[in-house]
Amino acid sequence: MSTNLPETVAEGQVVLPAPPRVVDDLARDLTHAAAAVRAVSRGARCGGGDVSVAAYTAVVCTGRSAARALEEAAAWCRQAPGAEVHSLAWARVPGHRDDVFEYRATLAVSFPDHETGEHTGDTHHHAPR
């Protein structure tokens, strides 16, 4: 499948626009997530909890070993120093043969807001003692 997306060079980095399918997928996922939140709010809740929806970019790094997948994730983080990693999901999934597995490290990340320079969503802060 060829996307034939135009490339724009900005400050030495290649910036590609999101393919329309990605935008449609995100809109669909947010619609389903919002419906799930509404369903929870209408149903009986066990006290003390809360449900929210957050949209992060998912970066999936794969490797033939656990170490390689983590190395790919570290390499991506070095190439995107402005990214804030919010969570890491780990998976061992079937590969191209029955006896081969692939390892995936999925990073949920956000980038600073262009206007405020602040990250959106959950970030972890530590106050000095």
Side-chain angles (χ1 to χ4, degrees):
M1 178 176 132
S2 175
T3 57
N4 295 324
L5 295 174
E7 292 185 6
T8 305
V9 178
E11 299 178 0
Q13 296 179 356
V14 176
V15 180
L16 296 174
R21 183 184 58 79
V22 172
V23 174
D24 293 341
D25 289 350
L26 178 59
R28 185 198 65 236
D29 291 348
L30 288 175
T31 299
H32 287 288
V37 170
R38 284 192 300 276
V40 169
S41 66
R42 286 191 301 264
R45 277 205 227 177
C46 298
D50 193 13
V51 176
S52 63
V53 175
Y56 296 118
T57 300
V59 177
V60 181
C61 303
T62 60
R64 291 187 178 186
S65 68
R68 186 65 187 157
L70 290 172
E71 287 170 353
E72 291 295 329
W76 183 87
C77 288
R78 283 190 293 276
Q79 295 300 314
E84 177 84 13
V85 177
H86 297 279
S87 65
L88 171 79
W90 185 254
R92 180 176 169 251
V93 298
H96 63 284
R97 292 189 334 230
D98 288 341
D99 61 335
V100 175
F101 287 91
E102 175 179 277
Y103 297 84
R104 292 183 186 161
T106 302
L107 308 172
V109 301
S110 69
F111 296 88
D113 182 271
H114 291 292
E115 294 177 15
T116 66
E118 294 184 14
H119 286 273
T120 57
D122 296 333
T123 55
H124 304 282
H125 301 280
H126 172 70
R129 292 182 178 197

